[in-house]
Amino acid sequence: MAASHTSILGAVLLCAFLAFPEVHASFKGRIVETPEAGVAADLLHEISTLAPEMSPKQLQILKKTMISGKRSLRSTVFQDFNPVLWKPPTETEPGSDLNGIVFDVVLYQIPPFVDIDTPDGYIDPGNLNQTRTAANGGISGLAIDMLEEIAAQIGVSIRYYYPCEIAVYNQNARTCTQVTSNKALEMLDDIGGSNFFGTGPSFCDGDRCFVAGAPKITETSMRLYDVTQPFMEKGFTLAVRAGQATPVFMSWANPFYWTLWMLVVAEIVVCGICFMFVEGYGTNEALWSIANPLAQFYDSLFWSITIMLGAADKSPTTHAGRTLVSTQLFFGVLLISLYTGNLSTFLSVTNASTKLQSFEDLYDPESLYYSKSHSVCVPSNQPSVGSWLDTIESVEGMPFTRTEGVTVQDCLMQVYLEEATATLYDEPVVLYWINLMNQDGMCGDNGGYCTDPTATDEEACTCPEKTETLECLNPGDDKWTPVTGGVTLVGQLFNHFGYGLIFRKVSGGRHYYTAFSNAIQYLKEQGVLRDLEQAYIPAIDEIQCASASSGFQVLSFVNIQGLVTIVGFILFIGFCIGFLENIIAAIVYVMPCCAGVCKKAVEEG
């Protein structure tokens, strides 16, 4: 009975907590603050005090009362929700009519999602006069193409703005500073204010406005704003420097995995044993006598190796032997072709190496690539990076060595120049900038960067112009800094999140974000968003280094030192065996009496 009483008591208290959600936690919905909240708190406290003294029957009655009153209570604390629904062409049931409605969209510069022409705002700050549009290319990117497709589907018009603070603009010689999603949200909240260009009386009429670009869907954004479903789900990625891999002793063997090398050795041994069976019983005089099986095996193994290399020292005398030789020759030709083809690639093309293989290598002492010298660059205008690192530090108890850059581009440049070991941010954004760095020649063995950012190689940097006599002119006195290697990504995505459209939270009236969520779902089903992602976000293995900065590696002894060492060792063994044979021959010549003894010893093995 005690156990039953305890379980019923727990159920009653759980019902009480569910009945009064605003008392104990933030509920996922639109909860209106009501004067009944204090009464609910007092009642909940009274229930938790008196419930332990109630009988099981009384608790059952209280539980039923709580459940029955739950629905009526919720109907009083939740405000009316009036979603605007859009039905795609594939559905016959009509949705809300949105034709002709104008939405104001607040953007911010974040390629590849949004690329604003002259975002410094010298011309039309904040896009107040709508001089930049998707039609004239003044505003472009993945998010813009998606919004234009949504607008065409649901029949609305869009006006694009971006945050440009009036005070900052006037202080900075009529230029706007680059901003992030936080500043865009500030502009969204500044309806009718005077802080930003564009937030006049006509801005966000009827709460028809939202932030677009690449704002992350977080607990805070969902609590303070109306957020659509994610149009893309990504995460942080780790960018590190990829330098030239140092050749090792066994670099010559890299074209094949070790398992394949073991298979080749096993095939040669098996072929030699087969030669002993098909050619070793006196049928082939060139083969050592079966009276000395060890010597015959060595002779057969040597025959197998020479066939593999295309220089057989014996001829078969049986049909089985001829078949075996033909098979071994065919196998040898294929193997040599595959090996030499791969070897030229492994020895002549630079392989990349990185100091890290995953994000855990930055903080986990048990990781193979962990080092206290590792550092991570944190872009100051992207606070989500610093917050994520703070969280990991508090959980793992291992502090990060941090360097600071202003933007993601600054941090990638620090990684490229080895001023930081790694940096991290949203994968699409990092891929965009790595691709741009490769297009600008910051990659490969002959890469580097110029004080003139438009030059992608040393000649274009230091010799941009030539006279009639082909003499170089460098009017800007530009300098070229050579850097070997580039920037790449390692490990898996982490800190996963989604990108959405963020609307103002409406206290009544119509909720337009639901219509945009319907449209996003439709674009997903039609494959439109997948196509946009492929068009704007390159895969890391698809990024190519600029042709002027890519080249082949000049081979040196270090590339083939292992091969030369092994060949030299085999030659040394052969020399030793030959030297021993010459000593035996000299002894036999000087002492003919030993010839019979030596011959008998050889025959008996």
Side-chain angles (χ1 to χ4, degrees):
M1 179 62 71
S4 175
H5 184 277
T6 303
S7 62
I8 295 175
L9 174 59
V12 169
L13 293 178
L14 177 61
C15 288
F17 273 84
L18 293 176
F20 306 107
E22 72 285 352
V23 176
H24 62 90
S26 59
F27 199 82
K28 292 184 178 179
R30 292 172 181 76
I31 300 176
V32 179
E33 295 296 332
T34 64
E36 288 81 4
V39 177
D42 293 339
L43 181 58
L44 181 60
H45 180 267
E46 185 175 353
I47 291 174
S48 61
T49 303
L50 298 178
E53 301 176 5
M54 296 182 182
S55 65
K57 185 176 181 179
Q58 291 174 323
L59 288 174
Q60 289 283 10
I61 295 174
L62 179 59
K63 178 180 176 182
K64 291 180 181 180
T65 304
M66 285 290 185
I67 294 175
S68 63
K70 179 180 176 182
R71 181 172 299 176
S72 61
L73 179 61
R74 287 236 178 129
S75 65
T76 61
V77 298
F78 281 92
Q79 67 184 30
D80 292 334
F81 179 48
N82 184 19
V84 178
L85 302 179
W86 173 77
K87 300 295 183 181
T90 54
E91 298 186 20
T92 57
E93 182 182 353
S96 299
D97 185 12
L98 299 172
N99 288 331
I101 294 180
V102 178
F103 284 85
D104 295 326
V105 180
V106 181
L107 305 171
Y108 58 99
Q109 179 80 354
I110 182 167
F113 295 97
V114 176
D115 191 7
I116 304 172
D117 184 26
T118 60
D120 56 8
Y122 184 74
I123 301 175
D124 190 13
N127 209 32
L128 174 64
N129 300 316
Q130 296 296 296
T131 57
R132 305 173 186 83
T133 64
N136 63 23
I139 293 178
S140 60
L142 186 154
I144 304 304
D145 287 356
M146 179 191 70
L147 291 174
E148 290 296 310
E149 183 65 28
I150 290 177
Q153 290 290 341
I154 66 179
V156 302
S157 300
I158 293 179
R159 294 184 301 203
Y160 295 108
Y161 299 89
Y162 67 91
C164 182
E165 293 181 278
I166 297 175
V168 175
Y169 178 80
N170 293 330
Q171 293 173 1
N172 292 346
R174 299 172 64 83
T175 59
C176 301
T177 57
Q178 289 198 24
V179 299
T180 62
S181 59
N182 290 337
K183 192 63 68 173
L185 292 173
E186 287 184 29
M187 182 174 176
L188 188 69
D189 295 333
D190 192 41
I191 295 179
S194 58
N195 295 328
F196 297 90
F197 287 100
T199 56
S202 62
F203 178 74
C204 200
D205 184 32
D207 291 318
R208 293 188 290 269
C209 57
F210 59 91
V211 169
K216 299 179 180 66
I217 301 175
T218 65
E219 184 275 333
T220 301
S221 64
M222 294 183 67
R223 178 166 46 85
L224 300 178
Y225 301 92
D226 286 336
V227 184
T228 65
Q229 67 163 294
F231 63 84
M232 184 182 297
E233 297 178 16
K234 290 295 181 179
F236 280 171
T237 188
L238 192 68
V240 299
R241 193 180 189 284
Q244 179 179 341
T246 303
V248 295
F249 183 79
M250 294 297 290
S251 291
W252 61 273
N254 285 340
F256 292 162
Y257 282 113
W258 69 270
T259 52
L260 183 55
W261 281 115
M262 296 299 295
L263 181 63
V264 171
V265 172
E267 193 278 339
I268 293 174
V269 173
V270 171
C271 185
I273 295 174
C274 291
F275 276 134
M276 292 179 63
F277 280 96
V278 301
E279 296 282 336
Y281 287 91
T283 56
N284 194 326
E285 295 180 356
L287 202 60
W288 203 285
S289 172
I290 191 61
N292 189 342
L294 183 61
Q296 189 184 75
F297 172 73
Y298 174 78
D299 204 13
S300 299
L301 186 63
F302 181 75
W303 191 6
S304 176
I305 294 174
T306 56
I307 294 176
M308 175 74 70
L309 300 177
D313 69 328
K314 299 177 180 62
S315 297
T317 58
T318 65
H319 292 298
R322 295 186 183 96
T323 303
L324 191 59
V325 168
S326 300
T327 304
Q328 186 72 345
L329 282 172
F330 181 72
F331 178 72
V333 169
L334 290 180
L335 187 68
I336 292 173
S337 300
L338 291 174
Y339 176 75
T340 53
N342 285 347
L343 183 64
S344 62
T345 301
F346 271 84
L347 295 184
S348 62
V349 178
T350 303
N351 294 317
S353 65
T354 59
K355 293 182 179 179
L356 304 176
Q357 293 296 320
S358 66
F359 177 67
E360 289 74 15
D361 296 335
L362 283 170
Y363 65 85
D364 186 1
E366 297 182 359
S367 172
L368 180 62
Y369 296 91
Y370 171 79
S371 173
K372 291 183 179 180
S373 63
H374 291 334
S375 61
V376 56
C377 181
V378 181
S380 60
N381 72 341
Q382 301 296 346
S384 59
V385 176
S387 299
W388 171 255
L389 294 179
D390 292 340
T391 302
I392 298 300
E393 284 182 344
S394 63
V395 172
E396 299 294 337
M398 294 293 295
F400 293 95
T401 301
R402 308 189 192 193
T403 64
E404 187 172 306
V406 177
T407 64
V408 176
Q409 304 95 289
D410 294 337
C411 282
L412 287 172
M413 197 65 185
Q414 286 191 27
V415 172
Y416 180 61
L417 298 177
E418 297 188 278
E419 297 172 0
T421 309
T423 188
L424 56 137
Y425 192 59
D426 301 12
E427 183 196 37
V429 178
V430 175
L431 282 172
Y432 172 85
W433 289 113
I434 290 179
N435 187 40
L436 199 61
M437 293 175 70
N438 278 259
Q439 293 177 9
D440 291 341
M442 287 185 277
C443 54
D445 297 335
N446 303 321
Y449 63 97
C450 182
T451 52
D452 176 11
T454 62
T456 61
D457 57 70
E458 184 174 4
E459 182 177 359
C461 177
T462 59
C463 188
E465 301 176 12
K466 291 185 178 181
T467 64
E468 295 181 356
T469 58
L470 301 181
E471 295 181 358
C472 286
L473 295 177
N474 189 358
D477 195 26
D478 293 314
K479 306 294 183 182
W480 175 260
T481 303
V483 180
T484 301
V487 179
T488 189
L489 304 182
V490 295
Q492 303 296 320
L493 295 184
F494 52 95
N495 187 30
H496 295 267
F497 49 75
Y499 299 117
L501 306 179
I502 300 182
F503 287 70
R504 284 175 52 84
K505 186 175 285 294
V506 180
S507 300
R510 310 182 73 189
H511 299 271
Y512 292 102
Y513 80 98
T514 52
F516 280 78
S517 277
N518 297 149
I520 289 174
Q521 181 60 37
Y522 176 70
L523 295 185
K524 287 181 179 179
E525 295 171 354
Q526 298 300 311
V528 175
L529 294 182
R530 181 191 64 246
D531 295 341
L532 287 176
E533 182 176 347
Q534 293 176 352
Y536 279 95
I537 305 174
I540 187 63
D541 55 358
E542 295 175 355
I543 296 178
Q544 299 295 325
C545 188
S547 58
S549 60
S550 61
F552 288 99
Q553 175 184 348
V554 178
L555 296 181
S556 61
F557 172 74
V558 70
N559 297 95
I560 57 174
Q561 60 178 337
L563 183 61
V564 171
T565 303
I566 292 176
V567 171
F569 179 71
I570 295 174
L571 289 176
F572 176 75
I573 293 177
F575 173 79
C576 292
I577 294 175
F579 183 72
L580 181 61
E581 289 177 342
N582 287 332
I583 291 178
I584 295 175
I587 293 175
V588 171
Y589 179 78
V590 175
M591 305 174 62
C593 62
C594 296
V597 177
C598 292
K599 183 178 180 180
K600 183 178 181 181
V602 170
E603 291 178 351
E604 294 179 354

